Amino acid sequence: MPITSAIFNAHPDSINSLLADIDQQFTLDENALVSITSHFHNLFNLGLTEYGHPMAMIPTFVTGVPDGTETGTFLALDLGGTNLRVCQVVLHGDRTFTLKQQKYRVSESLKTGEATVLFDYLADSVDAFLTSTAVSQEDSPISDAIGVDSPAVPLGLTFSFPVEQTALDRGILLTWTKGFSAKNAVDKDVVRLLQDAFDRKHLHVKCVALVNDTVGAALSRAYTAGGCVLGAIFGTGTNGAYLEQVANITKLGNNPAAAAGGVMMVNTEWGAFDNARVVLPTTPFDNKLDRESINPRFQAYEKFISGMYLGEITRNVLLALVDAAPKPILFSGKATDRLNKHYGLDTEMLSLVESAWVGDAGAPAGDDEEAALRDFSVPLAEERLAPTTLQRLEQIQKIVQEHLGYAPGEVSLRDATVVRWVAALVVRRAARLSGCAVATVAIQMGYVTGLGRDARAAGSTGLSGRPYAIGIDGR
C-alpha cells in the first residue's frame, strides 16, 4: 500500500496493481465496519457520562417528540449560514401542516460585527415577516401578534452553532463557526440575546425553545410520522440527535432533569467521532485533506462522509493519478486550473457522474465489466463496448469537461472510466461509514443487539418503547 499520495512505478504493466492498492484503501469489509461501530458505541457512552469529549453527547432538554395530534400556530427562526429563515408553521393535528417562510440574507458585516446588531437584524426579520403575514393573512393567529394586548407568539430558534444547553430555553454559545465571529456573543445565552432584541423592538414574540438542526429534523419527522427516534444530517456536514433514556445521561448529575427521568433528545455531535483516528480508515488522500483544512485533527468523521469534503477527497486521488510517474494514469498528465484549485471539484460532480452511470439505459455494467474497463494492460476499444456502456462513458466525459474545465478530446473513455471508479470508491466508503452512526443509535436504543453476523433485531420498539422512525436532512 502506498505510504504517500504520490504514485510511483506507474508502468503499463503495473498500473492495474496500483489501482488495486487504491481500491483496497477505500474498501471497508465487515470486520472494519464492526470495529468502527463498536468504537462509536463506546464513545457514545463515554460522552453520556462525562463532559469535555469531542463527541459531546449534549443534553438538549427536549423531553419528548410530537405524535402528529398537536395543533397551533408557531414561529420558527433558523440561523446557521448565509441566510436565515423565518417560518410560520400551522399544525393541523392530523400529521399535516401549512408552512409559510421567508429567507433573509445575513451580510458579512452582520456576521463579524457586534452581536446586538446581528440579533437586532434577526428581530427585524421576524418583524418584517409578521407584518407581511398579517397583511396577507388577516385571519391568521400570527396576525394577532402585532396587537399590543395580544399574548406573545411562541418561537422556536434553530441555532446551528456549538452551544452548551442548560435548559430548553437556555444555551451558552461556545464558539462561532461557518464564518461567523460576531463580537460579545460567545459565553452568552443566545436565547437571552434574541429575546432582548425582541423586547427592544416591542415585538410580542417569546423564544420558548432552542434546538440544534438535528433535533429539528427529528421533531419535524415525528410530527408527520407519528413519532421519531433519530434526526440525522447528511449534507454539507453531518450530525445526529436521538432519544435517550435520561437515566443513561449520568453527567446530568443533580440537574432537575435527571430527577424527572423519562427520555431526552441528545445532540451527539458525531461529526467529531474518532478525532484521534483510532479506527477510521485513513488514507494518504484523507491526510492531505485534513492537513490543508482550516481545522486539522478535528471533525474527523465529518471529513470522511460529508458533502463539503467528498469532492476534495476525489480531487486528491485524481491528482495523484495525473502526477503518477513515470507514466501518467489520468488525463495524459494534464491538470486544469480547476482540478489544481483547492476544493475545485464540487461534490455535485460525483452525483452527476453516478447518475450518468446508472442512468435510464438499463442495468449498468457488472463488476467484471467494470474491472475490464480499468484494465490498462489492453487498449480500451470503443467498438468493443456495449452501446449502453459507451453512452454512459460519453456522458461522463461531458460532465468531466464541464466541471473540471477540460477541452473536448482531452478526456478519453479510459479517463471517464477511472473518474467514475474513483467517485464510486469515495462515495461508497462514505455511505458505509454513515451507516455506522445509524447502527450505533439502533444498538444504543435497543433496536438491535450484536454486530456483524451476530446482529439481531430486538423488536420494533426497542428499549424506548417507540416505533423505529428516523428523520434525515440531506441539505
Side-chain angles (χ1 to χ4, degrees), residues 110-182:
L110 287 170
K111 292 180 182 179
T112 58
E114 281 291 331
T116 53
V117 177
L118 172 63
F119 281 88
D120 278 350
Y121 179 71
L122 302 186
D124 286 337
S125 300
V126 172
D127 189 16
F129 180 83
L130 286 171
T131 302
S132 65
T133 302
V135 169
S136 62
Q137 296 176 231
E138 294 183 358
D139 59 343
S140 167
I142 286 287
S143 66
D144 295 337
I146 297 179
V148 175
D149 298 325
S150 62
V153 172
L155 176 140
L157 171 62
T158 298
F159 193 76
S160 302
F161 300 94
V163 166
E164 182 178 320
Q165 202 156 347
T166 56
L168 180 61
D169 59 352
R170 289 198 304 275
I172 304 302
L173 177 63
L174 299 177
T175 184
W176 286 113
T177 57
K178 306 176 186 179
F180 281 71
S181 59

Side-chain angles (χ1 to χ4, degrees), residues 217-218 221-222 225 227-232 234 241 438 441 445 467-472:
R221 178 56 179 161
C228 183
V229 298
L230 166 66
F234 294 107
V438 177
V441 172
M445 295 193 67
Y468 193 100
I470 64 176
I472 294 179

Side-chain angles (χ1 to χ4, degrees), residues 144-464:
D144 295 337
I146 297 179
V148 175
D149 298 325
S150 62
V153 172
L155 176 140
L157 171 62
T158 298
F159 193 76
S160 302
F161 300 94
V163 166
E164 182 178 320
Q165 202 156 347
T166 56
L168 180 61
D169 59 352
R170 289 198 304 275
I172 304 302
L173 177 63
L174 299 177
T175 184
W176 286 113
T177 57
K178 306 176 186 179
F180 281 71
S181 59
K183 303 172 184 65
N184 299 310
V186 174
D187 295 330
K188 292 187 178 179
D189 179 2
V190 294
V191 174
R192 187 70 262 165
L193 290 172
L194 180 60
Q195 192 61 54
D196 286 346
F198 287 148
D199 294 344
R200 284 193 295 271
K201 304 291 180 180
H202 303 291
L203 290 177
H204 298 285
V205 178
K206 180 174 176 58
C207 186
V208 297
L210 170 67
V211 297
N212 179 269
D213 52 356
T214 55
V215 177
L219 297 180
S220 60
R221 178 56 179 161
Y223 184 78
T224 58
C228 183
V229 298
L230 166 66
I233 305 295
F234 294 107
T236 304
T238 185
N239 193 13
Y242 74 101
L243 210 56
E244 179 62 89
Q245 298 290 327
V246 170
N248 293 335
I249 315 174
T250 57
K251 66 183 180 183
L252 285 172
N254 296 325
N255 189 293
V263 296
M264 181 185 293
M265 294 295 298
V266 171
N267 169 21
T268 67
E269 292 294 338
W270 71 34
F273 164 66
D274 198 27
N275 278 349
R277 305 205 179 203
V278 174
V279 295
L280 283 173
T282 303
T283 70
F285 313 105
D286 299 298
N287 285 340
K288 180 177 183 293
L289 180 147
D290 183 60
R291 173 171 50 80
E292 295 175 342
S293 71
I294 62 173
N295 56 346
R297 312 308 294 176
F298 289 94
Q299 295 299 101
Y301 182 63
E302 187 167 82
K303 289 172 181 172
F304 281 78
I305 73 170
S306 70
M308 181 173 179
Y309 300 106
L310 297 183
E312 182 66 3
I313 298 170
T314 303
R315 189 183 75 91
N316 287 342
V317 180
L318 297 185
L319 281 175
L321 296 174
V322 168
D323 292 337
K327 179 179 175 59
I329 297 175
L330 196 61
F331 303 138
S332 300
K334 177 179 179 179
T336 62
D337 289 344
R338 208 169 302 171
L339 186 58
N340 280 329
K341 182 181 178 182
H342 198 208
Y343 288 91
L345 195 163
D346 194 281
T347 299
E348 178 191 20
M349 188 185 115
L350 309 188
S351 178
L352 293 173
V353 166
E354 187 65 15
S355 295
W357 183 248
V358 297
D360 298 321
D367 292 343
D368 291 342
E369 185 179 353
E370 283 199 53
L373 292 173
R374 297 193 308 276
D375 186 356
F376 277 76
S377 65
V378 295
L380 182 60
E382 181 177 320
E383 61 272 11
R384 296 174 59 184
L385 296 175
T388 53
T389 300
L390 177 60
Q391 178 185 340
R392 292 185 175 103
L393 291 178
E394 288 174 341
Q395 285 182 290
I396 293 172
Q397 282 179 307
K398 293 177 182 176
I399 292 168
V400 173
Q401 291 166 13
E402 178 182 351
H403 285 262
L404 295 183
Y406 284 96
E410 292 182 334
V411 181
S412 69
L413 291 175
R414 180 83 80 187
D415 291 335
T417 296
V418 172
V419 169
R420 189 267 156 182
W421 167 71
V422 173
L425 283 181
V426 173
V427 171
R428 186 181 301 118
R429 185 187 69 169
R432 290 176 176 174
L433 286 173
S434 299
C436 292
V438 177
T440 301
V441 172
I443 293 168
Q444 179 68 15
M445 295 193 67
Y447 291 102
V448 176
T449 61
L451 288 169
R453 298 180 190 276
D454 297 326
R456 298 290 183 273
S460 61
T461 59
L463 297 178
S464 71

